[in-house]
Amino acid sequence: MWMGKRVVRGYFCNFVTLLPDGGGGTGFLNNVQLTAWIMKERDMTGIKNIIFDLGGVLINLERQRCIEAFEQVGMDKVVHYVKEGKVQDLFYDSEIGNTNTQEFCDEVRHLTQSNIANDDIVWAWNQLLGEISDEKKECLLLLKKKYRLFLLSNTNEMHWNHCLKERLNDKGLGVNDYFERVFLSYEMHQLKPSASIFEQVLQEAHLKAEETLFVDDSLANCEGARSVGIKAWHEKTGEEWMEMITSPDPLLSLL
């Protein structure tokens, strides 16, 4: 481990971190090595394309609100999936495109032994999706002037339709104003972090991996991108990517 100081918005704070030692493992890094490592990982030189994740990067995820919504419509048996972060276990087929909205609602009714209407189920499930801040939207518009921007999300028909209507449709702007193209798991019939989903994006969008940056809040997804040669930023707060991409100071953030 290495004890040092981290620059954050002009202030210094102590941190402890374990960093790659250059030999395939981890170990101690001195100040010069640390600076070189940060600059290498944060270097935007040669980057022409940025692929963004949706949930946890652009849009806030409201798990507690989703839990309360499922409880409100009488679907307590679904709640534990959300509480434990196991929504993919329940909703896997919808995210990989094996089931549509009707089939998803039928499965939820079967699980809960209820006759709850489709609209109530979809409403409760969509409560997971919070807001996309104006700051993030403005940042995307600025970045689009310099980079080719894409979206790659593990998502389902219900969430995406909600985003199109409620989160990426205001002030006369829509999804096409922010992204050149959108790639959705339920349409591609595969999920991150598989290498094949990243390879498909590279192929269909005619991108070179070494010229592409991927931003995701899942470390596994970032590793999937790196496995095909794409640079990746592991987003931890939903906000850091704006500083990382736009700041000229290579010591402002750490992977």
Side-chain angles (χ1 to χ4, degrees):
M1 286 193 178
W2 186 88
M3 174 70 77
K5 292 183 181 293
R6 175 184 179 183
V7 183
V8 181
R9 298 185 185 277
Y11 295 91
F12 287 93
C13 58
N14 290 327
F15 72 96
V16 179
T17 188
L18 193 64
L19 298 174
D21 61 7
T26 54
F28 296 96
L29 295 180
N30 60 35
N31 286 338
V32 175
Q33 291 172 318
L34 175 65
T35 300
W37 179 79
I38 296 170
M39 291 181 71
K40 177 178 180 292
E41 294 298 330
R42 294 207 41 228
D43 185 11
M44 291 294 288
T45 303
I47 295 298
K48 298 179 180 179
N49 324 296
I50 306 176
I51 304 171
F52 286 94
D53 176 36
L54 182 60
V57 174
L58 298 179
I59 191 167
N60 298 323
L61 298 179
E62 304 287 351
R63 287 187 173 83
Q64 185 57 40
R65 188 175 72 178
C66 185
I67 289 170
E68 293 172 358
F70 275 121
E71 291 175 337
Q72 182 177 328
V73 297
M75 301 174 67
D76 293 349
K77 290 184 179 179
V78 177
V79 168
H80 81 279
Y81 286 95
V82 182
K83 282 184 176 179
E84 300 299 323
K86 297 179 179 179
V87 292
Q88 193 179 83
D89 294 346
L90 177 60
F91 307 129
Y92 173 84
D93 283 338
S94 67
E95 292 207 340
I96 205 167
N98 290 340
T99 60
N100 58 29
T101 298
Q102 179 61 52
E103 292 167 330
F104 167 81
C105 291
D106 288 341
E107 176 61 26
V108 171
R109 277 189 288 268
H110 175 75
L111 174 68
T112 58
Q113 295 296 298
S114 66
N115 59 355
I116 298 171
N118 286 6
D119 287 348
D120 289 337
I121 295 172
V122 173
W123 170 81
W125 184 213
N126 283 341
Q127 296 310 300
L128 180 66
L129 304 177
E131 300 293 331
I132 304 178
S133 69
D134 288 341
E135 182 183 9
K136 290 181 180 180
K137 292 177 182 178
E138 291 168 4
C139 190
L140 290 174
L141 292 174
L142 288 173
L143 289 172
K144 196 178 180 187
K145 295 179 180 180
K146 183 177 180 180
Y147 304 98
R148 296 176 66 192
L149 302 189
F150 300 88
L151 183 71
L152 173 61
S153 177
N154 286 353
T155 191
N156 54 77
E157 182 180 52
M158 294 160 286
H159 279 176
W160 183 242
N161 286 339
H162 181 74
C163 285
L164 285 178
K165 295 176 182 177
E166 304 294 338
R167 300 294 180 260
L168 289 167
N169 181 29
D170 68 337
K171 299 179 181 178
L173 300 176
V175 65
N176 293 331
D177 293 296
Y178 300 105
F179 303 104
E180 180 177 326
R181 184 167 172 184
V182 169
F183 293 91
L184 308 171
S185 63
Y186 77 92
E187 293 181 341
M188 301 172 75
H189 300 288
Q190 54 181 333
L191 296 166
K192 297 176 291 184
S194 68
S196 60
I197 196 170
F198 294 102
E199 290 170 341
Q200 183 175 339
V201 172
L202 293 175
Q203 181 180 9
E204 293 188 10
H206 305 290
L207 309 178
K208 294 181 180 179
E210 65 272 19
E211 297 176 347
T212 303
L213 173 70
F214 175 61
V215 182
D216 199 294
D217 65 324
S218 164
L219 181 57
N221 291 346
C222 289
E223 292 301 330
R226 289 171 181 146
S227 73
V228 300
I230 297 173
K231 292 190 70 173
W233 171 268
H234 180 208
E235 178 57 49
K236 301 179 181 67
T237 68
E239 306 286 341
E240 290 179 342
W241 64 266
M242 290 185 283
E243 290 182 324
M244 183 277 296
I245 293 174
T246 61
S247 173
D249 182 357
L251 288 176
L252 190 61
S253 304
L254 287 172
L255 283 179

